[in-house]
Amino acid sequence: MENREKQLPVSCPSCGSGLNVKMLGCPECHTEVSGDYDLPVLLRLSKDELGFVLSFVKNSGSLKEMASEMGLSYPTVRNYLNELIEKIDRLEDDSER
Amino acid sequence: MTLRDDKKKLSTWLFNPFLFVGGERILLIGLIIAAVHIPIGYFLNVRFDGAIDMHLVPTDVGLLTPVIDVLIAWLSMAGCMFAAAKIFQSPMRLIDIAGAVLVARIPLLLSIGPVLLLEPDFQSIEELLNLQGSELYQLAALSVISLLFLIWFFVLLFNAFKINSNLKGAKLWFGFIGSAIIAEIISIMIQQAV
């Protein structure tokens, strides 16, 4: 069987709502902590969106450098960033409710 | 980002190269395209006398006319699109739209090929209206091909405005149509003044 990369599920496969963390485990001593924790906003982003945020930080916020690194035009990168900001605003509004 | 897949598609490069090319690069490509207007205008007697115009003329055009034509067409279109974006508070950069509107003119330049090959020989409107047989089919084919090039030109122009302004919905359409119409009016007024 192919070794597929696991992705953190962030939305409910049944109703589409954002998921919460119910249990955390220590991989060393196998201690388990259970509770009801909200996922941080950044973890609710998709893998590509999170990759974009990391690239933004690593490039010290320079969209010009990101555009050159990603092989995209500056306006495309800026538009993607604007969409991401709108999504983060929506996620923050959802978590405040 | 699915844009990586789009980069391999010919259709993206034909209709929306602005996703991948911007800044100094698109301005440089645009200026090369602007320069290509000059020999085309001079040797083939083509006028670009309007922001969205291109047609053959019966008299010699000269060397300075295509330079002035392309400058007026370029500055009026880029200026109006930039102004429209600023009215709607879009963070458009002048360098991107200045290069993009010139790149969008590629179909206008390419459409000269079919015009030179297919334009039937007529001297007056009466002769044009009395065209028959193969010459009539030639004219019909030329009309369809010219229309396709015109559509391609407008798709490129629209995408140039869309990508660079990041406007959506009514603001995008109003901004695009408004700036294209105003650019055409301004360019014709300047053409008549010079």
Side-chain angles (χ1 to χ4, degrees), chain B residues 41-104:
Chain B
Y42 179 70
F43 290 112
L44 305 175
N45 293 332
V46 180
R47 289 292 314 266
F48 304 96
D49 49 353
I52 51 175
D53 295 67
M54 185 285 295
H55 52 260
L56 292 174
V57 288
T59 49
D60 282 345
V61 162
L63 204 56
L64 193 61
T65 307
V67 177
I68 295 170
D69 280 356
V70 74
L71 266 176
I72 294 171
W74 175 35
L75 296 177
S76 57
M77 187 60 83
C80 285
M81 286 193 164
F82 187 71
K86 291 297 154 192
I87 288 168
F88 292 121
Q89 295 172 332
S90 148
M92 181 185 274
R93 296 192 311 178
L94 191 55
I95 190 172
D96 293 314
I97 196 66
V101 295
L102 285 173
V103 169

Side-chain angles (χ1 to χ4, degrees), chain A residues 48 52 64 70-80 82-83 86, chain B residues 1 3 7 18-22 24 91-93 96 163-164 166 168:
Chain A
D48 282 348
F52 184 90
K64 208 174 170 182
M70 298 165 91
L72 299 171
S73 68
Y74 174 92
T76 307
V77 176
R78 188 200 56 216
N79 295 348
Y80 193 79
N82 287 346
E83 281 169 23
E86 281 170 21
Chain B
M1 284 167 100
L3 284 171
K7 204 171 184 179
F18 317 109
L19 284 169
F20 311 115
V21 192
E24 294 87 359
M92 181 185 274
R93 296 192 311 178
D96 293 314
I163 296 291
N164 287 297
N166 199 27
K168 290 177 179 75

Side-chain angles (χ1 to χ4, degrees), chain A residues 31-96:
Chain A
T31 298
E32 288 179 346
V33 180
S34 65
D36 190 4
Y37 306 99
D38 284 337
L39 273 177
V41 169
L42 283 181
L43 287 184
R44 291 184 188 269
L45 298 178
S46 72
K47 194 182 165 189
D48 282 348
E49 289 163 345
L50 203 52
F52 184 90
V53 174
L54 286 175
S55 172
F56 182 78
V57 174
K58 282 181 181 172
N59 283 294
S60 308
S62 166
L63 296 184
K64 208 174 170 182
E65 278 177 34
M66 282 178 74
S68 146
E69 190 182 284
M70 298 165 91
L72 299 171
S73 68
Y74 174 92
T76 307
V77 176
R78 188 200 56 216
N79 295 348
Y80 193 79
L81 177 65
N82 287 346
E83 281 169 23
L84 204 52
I85 292 169
E86 281 170 21
K87 184 171 179 180
I88 289 171
D89 284 342
R90 275 199 311 272
L91 289 170
E92 281 180 338
D93 287 347
D94 288 347
S95 1
E96 279 166 18

